[in-house]
Amino acid sequence: MQVETPLVLLKNRHLGRPATFEEYRAGGGYEALIATVGKRTPAEVLQLVLDADLRGRGGAGFPAGKKWQGIPAGYVGPRYVVVNTDEMEPGTFKDRILVNTDPHLVIEGIILCAYAVQATEGVCFIRPSYESDAVLIEEQSQVARDHGLLGDNILGSGFSFDIHVHRSAGRYICGEASAQIKAISGLRPNPRKGGPRTSVKGLWDCPTIVNNLETLANLPGIVRNGPDWFKSLARSAGGSGTKLFSVSGRISRPGCYELPIGTPLREILDHAGGMPPGRVLKAVIPGGASTPFMPDKYLDLEMDFEPMKRAGQRFGTASIMVFDQNTCLVGATLNLMEFFTRESCGWCTPCREGLPYVRHLLRLIEGGQGEEEHIGMIKDMAQAMRSAYCAFAPGAAEPLLSLFEYFEPEVREHLRQKRCPFGNPPPAMRGKACGTRPPTFGPTPCPEDQCPI
Amino acid sequence: MSLPDAVVAEIDGVIAAVEHHKREAAVDVMYALQRHYGYLCDEAMHYASKALDMTTLELESLATFYDYLYRRPVGRYVIHVCDSVVCWMFHQDSIFDYLCRKLGVPPGGTTEDGMFTVLPAACIGNCHNAPSMLINGRFYDRLTAERIDAVLAELRQSAEEPVRCK
Amino acid sequence: MPDLIIDGRPVRVPKGTPVIAAAESLGIVIPRFCWHPALGAAGACRMCAVMFLDGPVKGLEMSCMVPAADGMVVETFHPEAVTFRRRVVELLMANHPHDCPVCDEGGHCLLQDETISGGHALRRFPGRKRTYLDQDLGPFIQHEMNRCIHCYRCARFYQEYCGYLDFGPMQNANRVYFGRFASGPLESPFSGNLADICPTGTLTDKPGRYKSRRWDCQRAPSVCPHCSLGCATVALSRYREVVRVEARENPAVNGHFICDRGRYSFGYAASAERPRQARADGVPTSMSTALALAGTRLGGVVEAFGPEAVAVVGSARSSLETQTALTALARAGGWRGPAFFADRTEQQAVAAALAALAGGRARSLAEIGQADAVLCLGVSPLHDAPMLALSLRQAARAGAVVAVADPRPATLPLPFTHLPLAPDKLPGAAALLTGAEAADAAAIQRALPLSPELWPALERLAPAFAAAGNPVLVFAPALAAQAPADARFGLFPVLCGPNAAGAALVADADAPACDDLARAIEAGEVKGLVLAEADAAALSPRLAAALPGLETLVVLDHLPTPSFAAAKVFLPTQTLFESGGTLCNNEARLQYAAPVAPPGEPVSRDGRGGHPPRDYARKLPGTDPLPAAALCAVLALEMGLDMPALSFAAFTGVGPEDVAPEGTRATRLPAAPTAPAPPSAPPGQGLVVVRDDALFATDAYGRYAPLARAQAPAASVVRLHPDDAAGLGLADGEALTVTVGDRRIEATLAVSAAVARGAAVVPRLPGWAGLPAAIGPETLRRRQP
Ligand SMILES: Cc1cc2nc3c(=O)[nH]c(=O)nc-3n(C[C@H](O)[C@H](O)[C@H](O)COP(=O)(O)O)c2cc1C
Ligand code: SF4
Ligand code: SF4
Ligand code: SF4
Ligand code: FES
Ligand code: FES
């Protein structure tokens, strides 16, 4: 049964195109900002966000207000807000839908965050395939600027803040907050661990708040309607707000759905039209490629950070990829490992070397050449990947380990039949050539059609 | 080959916009040069190095890190075919194979007429329209063999003369 | 001072110490690749994982990333940690080529060690290995990327620690490649350290490649003789040839690293041109014949003209042992000297520089890295003392202000302010920055009225130096008088020659200088000269010119200098590698270099096509040279002189037995002599001559080392300020003919605003030694095609 739920983030979606400034304004847009800048203190805004218990929507679920509190009190100098619009985790496309629905909601959210932390400049970090979104944000920021809502001396309050877009050249690891700061700084985007947090020493060594774009888009609502309203949106006890669920894969109506946090998986899938005819659900990956497979026994689990954590699952980015009974999960996992292998930053051993290691063994298994001992070897290395430098390789280990936790029989069937039981052709034993790296550098010149490594 | 004034102006503008932190412009400058030359030839790298006060090694260490900067010649249209898990579920591999067969190139290869390069890409954020590909910033949804044929034909029509390195 | 327990043993370490270092202080060496004491933690290799059982951190963590904290209980051999480390080695070895038999790192390879310690013996991974193409990285470093384990040590050292950006990581994921944009020589003057710091055979020492297994080499702790800093080195010798020099850790001086000059200039010792046999009147002879002849000839001079007619000249490149023996010999004979310096002003200057160090004002090279403001006065760090540049970089990374007041163009891998000022302007500039109060704009303009372009920089620098709590003045001896009385300022003289400080300590305050001896020869007062490990041409052109007026010239040396060619009697001496010896560095620190191998013609040259040599009965060729000090003693014996037993303790206050491994500061410094007058402006219109070192082959030894010489600039360059070039009607890049005495040298003109007005910067090479203090249009002329 489908329940109509209020749309907060996507309420202008019916337009079928990005809402204009006027349309956004007509729906009460920028009221929060007008009521805030110069009228509330930054500390009051921060308190609202703390009370609303707004948790990060970029995957880790860290409370936004708590992160903002990390800026050293009394710090004098530039402060930055980085809006993480990298969204390169397979299965995730919510930020793109959100920007394209209501760019000014996002812009207002960014400004509110900036006001709360007294930032001087905002950087929207955008992946290359979202070039049109980059242009959209640039155009609409100009509109906001023209209305005195952005730039110097916003609304005559003396508070100045501006936004610019930083175009990425594309790598999943650039989504990681510290790597993103390095990417913006024109450095190699290897994450940075140890040492001061980015809220103390981030972009250009200044305090920097990195938040997901969806996280910030919740701010206008929170500021306007109050923390209690925000909390009341959620269905789970202790949850707060609505969430954009990206639903893709074997589902009737793949797409992005805004639903209360805590909505059970079953209902979300119903919103997306349920399973297509003749397809039976085998598992989902609930929160983007770095969350574990979630078998159908969890259909009634509340989709929220804490309930899922308690069940040994992860909410992640709430990007639900649906796998049906005919999809080989060894093949799917192999595909994920191909992705992670290619996107790794190459800094630490478990990731740089561990991923190609398990990938090779999965290729053998999927191609019917697997040996019993390969299973142990994969588990060994997946375990080692959990102690990598950043959360990338541990994320990759999630689907891998859950494959064995829930679907080891399916893996063993590959060994027994010496082929993929779902009839997939054997995978290429080598990757696809990238074609764009300097051939005289690095690996032995690529053979015509394959990546040598 | 010296750069046209428009490209020089674009690069100068990009750098001026981030005046105090020139390095931030590194990727944008390389994009601008890539649009002009078609790819980042050594000449482009040397130009960027001078414009940004960064060494060619520093720029190379960025250019070769990223996916959308090309250090080898590519075609006029670079086709980034998503090969991540959702598209894969929809037999993305066969789409990839079809595209390669149709164009007569291996993955990563460029057609003889210099028109197309086929590159595997990580999820392009269009999973709800899988299988999917990206060409010149445009998404192509729910690909089938017929749709691919149509897209290629359309692109061939609108092709303009690509700029090349000497 | 956190207290923690590692493997059941309590340890207390300074705050901020990483657990990996805390364990090391207990003698527990946790496996590691990326961590390096000088570079700190990277967390990249994951090899150093240990189990944290109790305390603020729990679970499997990297011991390099976690600072020791109170209450920690750490287990390095916890099963989970051991298993994890075994996986890490397995992963690293999955792509390693296992080419240890042909790898120069083999046997001293950290990867071999950790593979064994990690317990990874059998390969289970069925996949292929990744392979790379290598680059040509120039003459010093061999590239073999297949062996790389991606610990990022090289990149962190090269880019972060040293500040050079032509080498580093490229690509991502499992394609990461360490190299240059394109093949070509590494630009960093510290590139040789890559061979030391790379834990595998990826980056190895190219000149020493395939010469020997490291453990087959004779090895000894040595001291670098290529500038006055005295960095600690390890010399490796094989088949009677020094094949490699490596950095040795000396926390008080060079830390873990040395410069490329110090690493690659050892070739003088095995050079084919090195004179190894005694000569009498130019004819090779036996050592005993030559010694007897030297005794007779010198004895004859003494008999005919008295002992005052014999003089001794030593140099700043000899060890204290040699300098002391020369003094003893001169005293025994009642001869003049020894003279160690070109003129008295230089000798006084060096003595004054050392005298200034009294009262705890001396700073070590390591301490420069901790200073918060450094002024280099008349010193060009990268050329006069290369490792100084690396210490300055560490200071700058920690926020120090660095200024270089020097007439020569300066490049440094760090943010710094160059004040190109002619020598006579340097005292004024120093006064502006070393006063207790920040000089104001008016004072700056008064001090340097003709250099308005430097005013803004000085106005920025003055308050920073005034506010600094730990500033250091790095200075050339000629500017010793500028050492501020303000005790805040640490002092760090940079001298000319590896044992210049020793020479200044050993020399009598009223000892003659070379110029004095030249005058005495010209006047016919001196008829016999003993020239020990000194090249008259480089030391004092006047002395070199006077040599033909001698009745006898006895030369002791191991370098084929022009003085060797002029010798009547030549006695070959051993190098520091062979005799060992004590050197006193710029901060008056005595350090002992142990002998690494006896002298001898390298086997590579001696084999005469057949290997191994079959003639077992013959004497090994090239083994004649003796330590200069021993030759002095024999000569005294030949002449029936009673040479006093003299130890350098008499001059330095530190005896040979007191020299600690990290060196010991001399306790007897010259009693504050009158500092020489600061440099004055040249009379008239001339341009004051300023000599500039190059990284390679301008130091006494480097000039005779083939590999170093191959790196020297092909053409000599004269550098002028644009105004001065215009005044002479000369343009940048023009070919010049420079007149030095009666010779003409070809050079190219480089014009740059980084040269001080009024200065002509010329190479510090013996051929140029004869230039007068100031030159004009008659010396610098456009070369006629
Ligand atoms: C490998 C990796 C990739 C990530 N990619 C993204 C991303 O694409 N977008 C995003 O918002 N956060 C991403 N994150 C999470 C960020 O590190 C960071 O936690 C987040 O941007 C913080 O914002 P939030 O607190 O608003 O969620 C990624 C993290 C990791 C480890
Ligand atoms: S786990 Fe290691 S190699 Fe992988 S992305 Fe993170 S830091 Fe880079
Ligand atoms: S070249 Fe050597 S130092 Fe550099 S990453 Fe490889 S193994 Fe480490
Ligand atoms: S800095 Fe001087 S002493 Fe040190 S290694 Fe270089 S030349 Fe030798
Ligand atoms: S998986 Fe193909 S677009 Fe996301
Ligand atoms: S030594 Fe600690 S991670 Fe490399």
Side-chain angles (χ1 to χ4, degrees):
Chain A
M1 187 205 66
Q2 278 195 28
V3 199
E4 273 313 308
T5 50
L7 291 182
V8 178
L9 301 174
L10 297 185
K11 76 172 177 193
N12 282 328
R13 197 173 187 186
H14 60 273
L15 296 168
R17 56 167 171 74
T20 62
F21 176 79
E22 288 72 24
E23 285 160 345
Y24 179 62
R25 206 59 190 92
Y30 285 116
E31 293 299 332
L33 187 68
I34 291 165
T36 298
V37 175
K39 305 211 170 78
R40 289 188 178 93
T41 64
E44 282 166 3
V45 183
L46 173 65
Q47 195 56 47
L48 289 176
V49 175
L50 283 168
D51 292 345
D53 199 15
L54 172 63
R55 299 186 60 167
R57 308 301 202 223
F62 192 81
K66 229 169 121 189
K67 185 185 290 183
W68 302 356
Q69 282 179 311
I71 295 185
Y75 170 88
V76 185
R79 305 169 181 208
Y80 296 96
V81 171
V82 172
V83 187
N84 192 339
T85 322
D86 195 45
E87 193 159 73
M88 282 199 56
E89 182 140 338
T92 315
F93 47 89
K94 64 188 180 69
D95 294 344
R96 178 177 153 220
I97 303 279
L98 180 53
V99 181
N100 276 289
T101 301
D102 225 344
H104 286 282
L105 174 70
V106 173
I107 293 171
E108 187 182 4
I110 300 171
I111 305 172
L112 284 169
C113 167
Y115 185 76
V117 302
Q118 289 294 291
T120 41
E121 195 159 348
V123 187
C124 295
F125 186 92
I126 300 189
R127 59 174 301 181
S129 65
Y130 288 6
E131 175 56 27
S132 55
D133 305 6
V135 173
L136 182 66
I137 291 184
E138 280 174 341
E139 286 169 359
Q140 297 308 314
S141 323
Q142 188 53 45
V143 174
R145 225 171 269 129
D146 293 343
H147 285 88
L149 297 164
L150 190 61
D152 277 345
N153 193 14
I154 293 174
L155 296 169
S157 65
F159 171 63
S160 299
F161 170 78
D162 213 335
I163 304 178
H164 74 269
V165 166
H166 181 95
R167 288 168 167 81
S168 168
R171 269 304 157 212
Y172 172 47
I173 189 58
C174 298
E176 201 276 344
S178 61
Q180 187 154 98
I181 286 172
K182 283 191 165 182
I184 297 171
S185 323
L187 299 170
R188 280 171 70 83
N190 300 115
R192 189 196 80 193
K193 296 281 119 115
R197 274 189 301 238
T198 60
S199 55
V200 177
K201 204 171 168 191
L203 188 58
W204 314 119
D205 289 342
C206 300
T208 302
I209 295 300
V210 183
N211 269 126
N212 175 254
L213 177 133
E214 183 191 348
T215 313
L216 298 183
N218 281 299
L219 295 175
I222 293 173
V223 171
R224 237 179 100 200
N225 305 321
D228 293 335
W229 164 83
F230 189 69
K231 282 184 174 162
S232 73
L233 292 174
R235 276 175 58 179
S236 47
S240 54
T242 60
K243 179 78 191 80
L244 301 182
F245 292 91
S246 318
V247 186
S248 63
R250 291 296 180 188
I251 191 79
S252 295
R253 286 200 307 273
C256 182
Y257 296 88
E258 182 182 6
L259 294 167
I261 270 205
T263 307
L265 177 62
R266 188 188 300 279
E267 276 182 42
I268 300 171
L269 297 184
D270 282 349
H271 278 276
M275 296 302 286
R279 305 263 176 188
V280 179
L281 179 102
K282 177 152 75 178
V284 302
I285 286 186
S290 46
T291 58
F293 284 107
M294 185 158 112
D296 55 2
K297 69 174 172 183
Y298 289 118
L299 267 174
D300 293 310
L301 185 63
E302 288 180 318
M303 296 281 282
D304 184 6
F305 296 102
E306 292 310 318
M308 292 188 69
K309 200 167 154 193
R310 280 196 295 275
Q313 284 292 334
R314 287 187 56 203
F315 190 47
T317 56
S319 304
I320 301 165
M321 293 177 273
V322 183
F323 299 88
D324 70 345
Q325 86 282 20
N326 296 333
T327 303
C328 171
L329 293 188
V330 174
T333 310
L334 169 59
N335 180 285
L336 290 169
M337 295 307 119
E338 298 274 5
F339 164 82
F340 283 112
T341 306
R342 206 161 65 193
E343 297 299 312
S344 156
C345 86
W347 181 254
C348 69
T349 311
C351 179
R352 184 190 61 248
E353 309 293 340
L355 279 161
Y357 188 108
V358 296
R359 176 185 65 172
H360 183 77
L361 299 178
L362 283 172
R363 283 173 179 171
L364 289 176
I365 294 174
E366 174 70 354
Q369 294 171 277
E371 307 278 351
E372 178 62 34
E373 65 179 19
H374 294 165
I375 293 181
M377 288 164 72
I378 294 177
K379 287 181 183 168
D380 282 352
M381 286 310 167
Q383 202 54 45
M385 278 155 55
R386 292 187 136 174
S387 292
Y389 185 75
C390 83
F392 179 103
E398 293 285 343
L400 186 58
L401 284 165
S402 65
L403 173 72
F404 289 95
E405 183 176 350
Y406 301 116
F407 300 101
E408 186 158 331
E410 190 172 314
V411 181
R412 289 189 180 281
E413 200 53 26
H414 284 72
L415 302 188
R416 207 182 59 77
Q417 293 189 21
K418 294 204 181 304
R419 62 180 189 91
C420 174
F422 300 88
N424 287 351
M429 287 311 290
R430 326 244 319 252
K432 300 188 190 74
C434 63
T436 56
R437 308 293 183 88
T440 48
F441 268 153
T444 311
C446 316
E448 264 306 277
D449 58 342
Q450 285 178 342
C451 179
I453 54 175
Chain B
M1 183 161 84
S2 71
L3 287 173
D5 292 347
V7 181
V8 173
E10 182 186 357
I11 290 172
D12 291 349
V14 167
I15 293 176
V18 288
E19 196 187 356
H20 301 298
H21 305 293
K22 240 177 163 181
R23 303 182 65 97
E24 183 178 346
V27 167
D28 278 341
V29 167
M30 288 194 277
Y31 269 145
L33 289 161
Q34 177 163 291
R35 274 194 295 277
H36 171 69
Y37 286 106
Y39 76 104
L40 289 171
C41 51
D42 286 357
E43 186 177 291
M45 296 299 278
H46 286 288
Y47 186 90
S49 157
K50 281 208 198 68
L52 291 158
D53 285 332
M54 290 166 73
T55 63
T56 45
L57 177 271
E58 283 182 282
L59 290 167
E60 184 78 339
S61 71
L62 297 178
T64 55
F65 190 98
Y66 292 120
D67 214 7
Y68 286 69
L69 292 172
Y70 318 130
R71 279 286 279 128
R72 281 200 251 166
V74 290
R76 176 76 187 84
Y77 294 105
V78 181
I79 309 180
H80 291 272
V81 189
C82 172
D83 65 354
S84 286
V85 67
V86 182
C87 293
W88 166 87
M89 236 189 278
F90 293 91
H91 301 292
Q92 171 271 349
D93 276 347
S94 55
I95 293 292
F96 212 119
D97 290 346
Y98 179 79
L99 197 58
C100 289
R101 237 181 307 125
K102 178 86 188 166
L103 293 173
V105 294
T110 301
T111 52
E112 256 169 33
D113 59 359
M115 198 67 77
F116 298 104
T117 297
V118 184
L119 291 182
C123 171
I124 52 179
N126 198 28
C127 324
H128 50 321
N129 297 315
S132 177
M133 65 184 184
L134 183 81
I135 306 173
N136 274 5
R138 264 191 67 195
F139 291 104
Y140 294 85
D141 302 347
R142 297 172 208 257
L143 294 175
T144 57
E146 300 74 53
R147 179 128 172 75
I148 286 175
D149 290 349
V151 169
L152 293 181
E154 183 192 320
L155 290 173
R156 278 217 169 81
Q157 293 279 307
S158 67
E160 35 182 296
E161 194 49 37
V163 192
R164 299 240 140 260
C165 280
K166 50 173 187 193
Chain C
M1 297 282 275
D3 281 301
L4 63 163
I5 294 175
I6 304 177
D7 289 348
R9 293 160 62 191
V11 61
R12 171 177 292 185
V13 290
K15 199 165 178 291
T17 310
V19 170
I20 193 170
E24 209 159 298
S25 72
L26 287 172
I28 302 168
V29 180
I30 299 174
R32 86 285 303 271
F33 287 116
C34 61
W35 186 76
H36 184 282
L39 307 181
C45 71
R46 317 309 278 175
M47 193 64 215
C48 67
V50 296
M51 201 63 174
F52 289 77
L53 295 174
D54 205 356
V57 174
K58 293 249 175 55
L60 188 71
E61 282 299 336
M62 302 307 129
S63 57
C64 69
M65 295 283 284
V66 181
D70 267 325
M72 276 181 171
V73 177
V74 178
E75 225 171 62
T76 66
F77 50 80
H78 188 280
E80 211 177 298
V82 171
T83 309
F84 177 76
R85 293 201 298 261
R86 178 178 304 157
R87 302 279 175 261
V88 172
V89 187
E90 179 180 357
L91 289 175
L92 292 174
M93 292 307 281
N95 279 306
H96 193 77
H98 288 82
D99 56 348
C100 307
V102 291
C103 174
D104 254 26
E105 194 81 357
H108 64 122
C109 171
L110 201 56
L111 184 58
Q112 288 178 333
D113 296 350
E114 309 301 31
T115 305
I116 300 301
S117 79
H120 171 71
L122 295 174
R123 181 181 181 83
R124 28 173 213 171
F125 182 60
R128 298 160 31 114
K129 293 184 183 192
R130 166 184 62 207
T131 55
Y132 294 100
L133 294 176
D134 298 321
Q135 288 181 328
D136 182 345
L137 299 178
F140 300 144
I141 294 293
Q142 180 69 34
H143 200 213
E144 198 64 64
M145 257 311 285
N146 289 347
R147 298 180 184 140
C148 179
I149 54 160
H150 300 82
C151 67
Y152 287 78
R153 265 193 196 183
C154 53
R156 289 185 297 141
F157 170 75
Y158 201 90
Q159 300 195 342
E160 292 167 27
Y161 197 87
C162 296
Y164 290 83
L165 294 167
D166 61 310
F167 172 93
M170 286 165 279
Q171 313 252 17
N172 75 321
N174 59 340
R175 304 162 153 267
V176 171
Y177 183 92
F178 295 86
R180 283 170 43 86
F181 180 72
S183 276
L186 294 164
E187 286 165 14
S188 165
F190 309 102
S191 67
N193 294 298
L194 291 175
D196 289 353
I197 207 164
C198 172
T200 70
T202 313
L203 302 171
T204 53
D205 187 271
K206 196 182 245 178
R209 198 164 186 237
Y210 296 149
K211 291 238 166 107
S212 171
R213 286 298 184 191
R214 194 164 179 270
W215 66 85
D216 283 333
C217 287
Q218 287 157 287
R219 284 191 285 162
S222 195
V223 176
C224 174
H226 299 288
C227 83
S228 69
L229 299 186
C231 297
T233 59
V234 180
L236 292 89
S237 169
R238 177 73 165 150
Y239 296 129
R240 301 202 293 269
E241 179 177 3
V242 174
V243 290
R244 203 189 295 178
V245 164
E246 294 170 355
R248 177 165 58 91
E249 187 189 353
N250 185 346
V253 180
N254 54 313
H256 293 81
F257 308 112
I258 57 173
C259 73
D260 285 356
R261 180 198 291 172
R263 189 181 297 264
Y264 296 114
S265 297
F266 57 81
Y268 64 90
S271 143
E273 278 84 55
R274 170 175 170 189
R276 293 174 177 274
Q277 199 177 357
R279 289 178 180 225
D281 296 319
V283 182
T285 182
S286 74
M287 193 63 137
S288 52
T289 313
L291 273 163
L293 186 65
T296 325
R297 294 262 175 98
L298 291 170
V301 169
V302 172
E303 212 155 283
F305 306 99
E308 287 273 293
V310 176
V312 179
V313 171
S315 78
R317 68 171 148 101
S318 288
S319 64
L320 276 169
E321 287 82 350
T322 304
Q323 291 170 347
T324 307
L326 289 172
T327 307
L329 180 64
R331 283 188 191 170
W335 304 344
R336 297 184 194 218
F340 294 111
F341 295 92
D343 54 44
R344 294 215 175 205
T345 321
E346 189 190 350
Q347 180 175 343
Q348 274 173 16
V350 177
L354 295 174
L357 301 180
R361 300 286 298 278
R363 292 292 178 273
S364 69
L365 191 55
E367 283 162 339
I368 299 258
Q370 282 136 32
D372 54 2
V374 185
L375 171 63
C376 296
L377 191 64
V379 172
S380 171
L382 211 44
H383 290 162
D384 293 351
M387 282 294 288
L388 172 59
L390 207 50
S391 278
L392 289 175
R393 173 158 173 90
Q394 305 325 309
R397 286 173 77 196
V401 268
V402 176
V404 176
D406 189 85
R408 300 163 285 183
T411 48
L412 284 178
L414 52 120
F416 75 108
T417 310
H418 182 211
L419 306 167
L421 289 167
D424 62 296
K425 303 288 187 309
L426 294 176
L432 293 173
L433 296 180
T434 56
E437 299 281 315
D440 58 15
I444 291 169
Q445 297 176 13
R446 235 179 300 119
L448 298 169
L450 299 179
S451 306
E453 71 281 3
L454 302 181
W455 295 346
L458 280 160
E459 280 171 38
R460 263 195 329 273
L461 290 169
F465 273 84
N470 186 14
V472 177
L473 177 72
V474 174
F475 62 102
L479 292 150
Q482 266 50 60
D486 185 351
R488 257 185 328 140
F489 270 87
L491 299 176
F492 189 84
V494 170
L495 311 177
C496 212
N499 201 18
L505 293 174
V506 169
D508 279 339
D510 56 354
C514 290
D515 282 2
D516 301 326
L517 295 181
R519 228 170 286 124
I521 298 171
E522 287 158 12
E525 295 159 20
V526 166
K527 295 286 186 188
L529 188 67
V530 178
L531 204 54
E533 298 181 344
D535 174 20
L539 207 51
S540 154
R542 186 161 178 193
L543 179 62
L547 294 182
L550 290 167
E551 293 209 344
T552 194
L553 172 63
V554 178
V555 171
L556 291 70
D557 210 344
H558 42 253
L559 295 180
T561 66
S563 301
F564 151 70
K568 296 278 181 344
V569 181
F570 175 75
L571 304 169
T573 64
Q574 295 186 354
T575 65
L576 198 64
F577 296 128
E578 295 145 11
S579 61
T582 309
L583 299 177
C584 185
N585 80 353
N586 62 317
E587 32 138 359
R589 180 186 300 270
L590 277 73
Q591 300 186 97
Y592 180 63
V596 57
E601 193 72 39
V603 172
S604 57
R605 270 206 300 278
D606 174 46
R608 296 197 200 103
H611 181 81
R614 299 285 169 202
D615 184 3
Y616 298 112
R618 78 194 167 106
K619 176 173 166 287
L620 286 179
T623 53
D624 281 351
L626 289 173
L631 287 173
C632 290
V634 182
L635 191 58
L637 213 62
E638 288 282 347
M639 298 182 66
L641 299 175
D642 186 14
M643 205 165 107
L646 199 55
S647 151
F648 57 73
F651 306 109
T652 61
V654 177
E657 61 290 341
D658 301 325
V659 177
E662 72 282 0
T664 304
R665 285 235 175 91
T667 53
R668 285 183 48 177
L669 295 173
T674 36
S680 53
Q685 305 285 307
L687 299 171
V688 58
V689 171
V690 179
R691 294 168 202 283
D692 195 12
D693 280 286
L695 182 62
F696 288 105
T698 50
D699 64 295
Y701 285 115
R703 291 201 293 271
Y704 296 99
L707 180 60
R709 222 161 33 202
Q711 317 307 318
S716 295
V717 179
V718 174
R719 297 172 201 278
L720 295 179
H721 187 275
D723 294 354
D724 296 326
L728 291 170
L730 296 171
D732 189 35
E734 246 177 313
L736 298 181
T737 303
V738 186
T739 312
V740 184
D742 50 5
R743 289 179 316 112
R744 304 207 187 310
I745 304 181
E746 301 203 335
T748 326
L749 181 68
V751 177
S752 147
V755 179
R757 272 197 201 83
V761 179
V762 303
R764 191 192 301 281
L765 285 172
W768 295 74
L771 279 181
I775 55 174
E778 64 293 341
T779 308
L780 295 179
R781 253 176 304 194
R782 181 175 297 118
R783 198 184 314 157
Q784 303 306 333

